[in-house]
Amino acid sequence: MNDKALGLSPELLDYLCANSLREPELLQQLREETAKLPASLMQIAPDQGQFMAWLVKAIGAKRTLDIGVFTGYSSLVVALALPEGGQVVACDRDPKATEIARRYWQMAGVADRIDFRLAPALDTLDRLLADGQRDRFDFAFIDADKSNYVNYYERCLQLVRPGGTIAIDNVLWSGRVADPTDTDKSTEAIRAFNAKLYADDRIDLSLLPIADGLTLARRR
């Protein structure tokens, strides 16, 4: 069903999904449409999306951030998990991919829960801080350009309330972070980011081997 799970055989991953995944039909349709795009690997895995929805409900999140919308799967799965009156502030600069996202948000009936900002995410996050939104968010998901992970994280750490959670995608980078001969710019950026969070006493930390690696940072 999904090949984005490090260390799991296809058979075991199929078993996991068959006994855990409860993906709504609309989310499945979005995933299948996205799979036809050249950049389809940017899509999060459905089991990861389900875990994020579970986490959002578990912490009672009402206001969330989505940094890196692409075709909207992460924004949609979180919006569907929010209570009445909940909101996702969704950040992306790609008008073409996000056209798909907005279409599915409308189809799912949650467009009113998603405040989409078509602009560089750092500009949006800085504007939120300037507008007095510090400590006003419960959850943030970072899945955008790897060179800016540290910058996104530092801003989210100000926007997310104490006790809130920041989730960061692709932190195992298909296993390349563990290959010392891989000196690709994005690989090096993720290595440095992982090391920074490991040493950061402002958070409680857990790096999970879900999909391509998902870090959870709970603000203390």
Side-chain angles (χ1 to χ4, degrees), residues 42 44 52 64-70 74-75 78 88-93 116-117 119-126 128 139-146 148-149 151-157 159-160 166-170:
M42 292 171 59
I44 69 167
M52 288 167 51
T64 75
L65 289 162
D66 189 60
I67 301 167
V69 171
F70 189 40
S74 57
S75 301
V78 168
V88 181
V89 176
C91 312
D92 206 295
R93 62 188 303 172
F116 176 57
R117 312 285 183 96
L122 289 178
D123 292 352
T124 297
L125 298 176
D126 285 341
L128 290 170
F139 176 80
F141 178 54
I142 300 173
D143 183 18
D145 55 303
K146 312 314 171 192
N148 267 314
Y149 262 24
N151 296 321
Y152 298 140
Y153 168 75
E154 287 294 342
R155 285 156 175 81
C156 286
L157 203 58
L159 290 163
V160 169
I166 304 169
I168 307 101
D169 198 23
N170 302 122

Side-chain angles (χ1 to χ4, degrees), residues 7 18 33 37 49 106 113 126 164 202 209:
E33 181 172 340
L37 301 178
Q106 289 286 350
R113 296 184 183 182
D126 285 341
R202 297 172 295 176

